[in-house]
Amino acid sequence: MKRIKEFVFVLLFCAAVISCKSQYDAMLESNDVDAKYAAAKAYFEKEKYQKAASLFESLSFLTSGTALDDTVQYFWALSNYKYKDYVVAESNFEHFVSNFPRSPFAVEARFLKIDCMFRETLRYELDQTPTYKAMGEISQFMSDYPDSDKMPFCLQMLKDLGERIDRKDFENAKIYYTMEDYKAAHVALTNVLKEDSDNIYREEILYYTAMSSYKFADMSVQQKKKERFLQFVDDYLNFVGEYPESSHRKELDALYRKVKQ
C-alpha cells in the first residue's frame, strides 16, 4: 500500500510539472497580448527572470508600435539584466535607448546599459578596450544627468575602472623588473608616471624605479657605476621626499648608505 501511494504521488507530481510546462509553452506561443503580458509580469515578480525574458521577447513582436511597446522592451531588457545575462541586456538597453529616447524608462535604461558594460569589463591583465569604452559612457551619462541619483554609483564605477587601468600600466612596466631588464624597467616605470602622475600605484612605481636604477648601476662595468649610481640617488631622494614613512624606506636607506660609501 505504501509503495502504491508513493507511486501515485510521483505520478501526480509529474503531471503537475508537465501541466506547468505546457501552460508556459502555450503562453509563449499565444497571441493574447493581455494574457501574455500578465504572465510575463507575474514571472518577473516571482523572480523567474529567464522565463519572463522569453515571454517579453515574444510579446515584443505583438506590441511593436503600440502604447505597450516601450514597457515591454524595457522589461525584456530588465529581465535579462536581473538574470545576469549582461551581454544580452546591454544590447537590449542599447536598442531601447535608441528607439525610445523620451520614454519614462529612458534614463534608467541608459544607466543600466552602463552598468552592464561595467560588469562586462575584463580583468586588468587583458585588453582594456571595453574598460575605456565603459568609462566614456559613464562620463557622458554624468555630464548629461548631473543631478541624477545614480551619480554616486557612476563615481564608484569610474574609480574602480580607473584603478584597473592604473594596475595594468604598473604591471606592464614592472614586468621588465621581474625579467631583470633593469634599464628597460626604469624607462617603462618612469613613463607610467609621465603619462599619469596620479596613478594609485605611485608609491610602488617610485620604489621599483629606484630599485631598477640601483640594480642597473650595480651590474654595470666599473667606469659607469658612479654615473649610474647618481641616478639611483636622484630616484631615492624623490621616493623619500614623497613617502618618508613608506615600508620600503628601510631597504632603500640601506642601499643609499652603501652607495654613499
Side-chain angles (χ1 to χ4, degrees):
M1 179 63 74
K2 182 179 179 181
R3 293 183 64 184
I4 293 174
K5 287 182 178 179
E6 289 176 350
F7 180 70
V8 171
F9 174 78
V10 170
L11 285 178
L12 290 174
F13 177 77
C14 292
V17 170
I18 293 170
S19 175
C20 290
K21 183 178 179 181
S22 63
Q23 287 175 11
Y24 171 75
D25 289 341
M27 189 56 66
L28 200 58
E29 297 170 3
S30 172
N31 290 326
D32 187 332
V33 172
D34 292 337
K36 181 174 281 193
Y37 179 73
K41 287 298 291 289
Y43 278 115
F44 183 88
E45 288 165 5
K46 292 177 182 177
E47 300 182 1
K48 296 180 178 180
Y49 299 121
Q50 187 178 27
K51 288 187 174 181
S54 295
L55 283 173
F56 280 121
E57 180 181 8
S58 175
L59 191 59
S60 68
F61 298 103
L62 302 175
T63 58
S64 179
T66 71
L68 268 179
D69 199 358
D70 68 323
T71 302
V72 168
Q73 295 280 350
Y74 175 73
F75 276 97
W76 175 17
L78 190 59
S79 296
N80 281 316
Y81 175 83
K82 294 282 190 179
Y83 187 60
K84 299 183 179 181
D85 190 344
Y86 299 118
V87 174
V88 174
E90 182 196 339
S91 177
N92 288 151
F93 285 125
E94 174 69 33
H95 175 80
F96 183 91
V97 170
S98 298
N99 286 277
F100 306 102
R102 294 188 176 86
S103 168
F105 302 115
V107 177
E108 182 71 12
R110 188 170 167 186
F111 172 76
L112 291 174
K113 174 201 164 188
I114 290 169
D115 190 46
C116 289
M117 296 176 71
F118 172 75
R119 293 171 186 272
E120 291 174 64
T121 52
L122 306 175
R123 303 191 310 272
Y124 79 87
E125 64 269 24
L126 301 178
D127 176 40
Q128 291 301 299
T129 299
T131 300
Y132 286 111
K133 184 178 178 182
M135 292 175 76
E137 292 277 351
I138 294 167
S139 297
Q140 189 60 54
F141 180 89
M142 293 171 67
S143 176
D144 292 343
Y145 306 103
D147 299 322
S148 171
D149 61 351
K150 307 297 185 185
M151 194 63 69
F153 300 102
C154 290
L155 289 171
Q156 185 60 50
M157 284 192 285
L158 279 180
K159 182 175 182 290
D160 291 346
L161 295 175
E163 289 178 357
R164 189 176 307 173
I165 296 296
D166 283 357
R167 183 173 182 186
K168 182 177 179 65
D169 291 342
F170 167 51
E171 296 289 352
N172 282 350
K174 182 187 169 187
I175 196 169
Y176 292 106
Y177 184 89
T178 304
M179 294 167 60
E180 300 183 1
D181 187 347
Y182 300 118
K183 183 178 180 180
H186 191 275
V187 172
L189 290 161
T190 301
N191 285 338
V192 170
L193 294 184
K194 280 183 180 178
E195 294 174 9
D196 179 18
S197 61
D198 295 323
N199 189 296
I200 63 167
Y201 295 95
R202 184 178 178 87
E203 180 180 346
E204 293 299 304
I205 292 170
L206 289 176
Y207 164 72
Y208 281 105
T209 300
M211 291 298 297
S212 295
S213 58
Y214 175 83
K215 292 191 175 187
F216 180 57
D218 193 49
M219 294 169 59
S220 299
V221 294
Q222 192 62 39
Q223 58 267 35
K224 293 186 178 182
K225 280 184 182 290
K226 182 176 180 180
E227 175 189 349
R228 291 174 179 175
F229 274 130
L230 287 174
Q231 178 63 62
F232 164 73
V233 171
D234 285 343
D235 294 335
Y236 165 80
L237 293 174
N238 284 337
F239 182 86
V240 298
E242 286 197 42
Y243 302 102
E245 306 299 327
S246 171
S247 60
H248 297 302
R249 178 71 188 267
K250 184 176 180 181
E251 179 185 10
L252 291 176
D253 282 349
L255 295 178
Y256 178 65
R257 287 193 297 270
K258 182 178 178 182
V259 167
K260 285 181 68 177
Q261 293 171 1

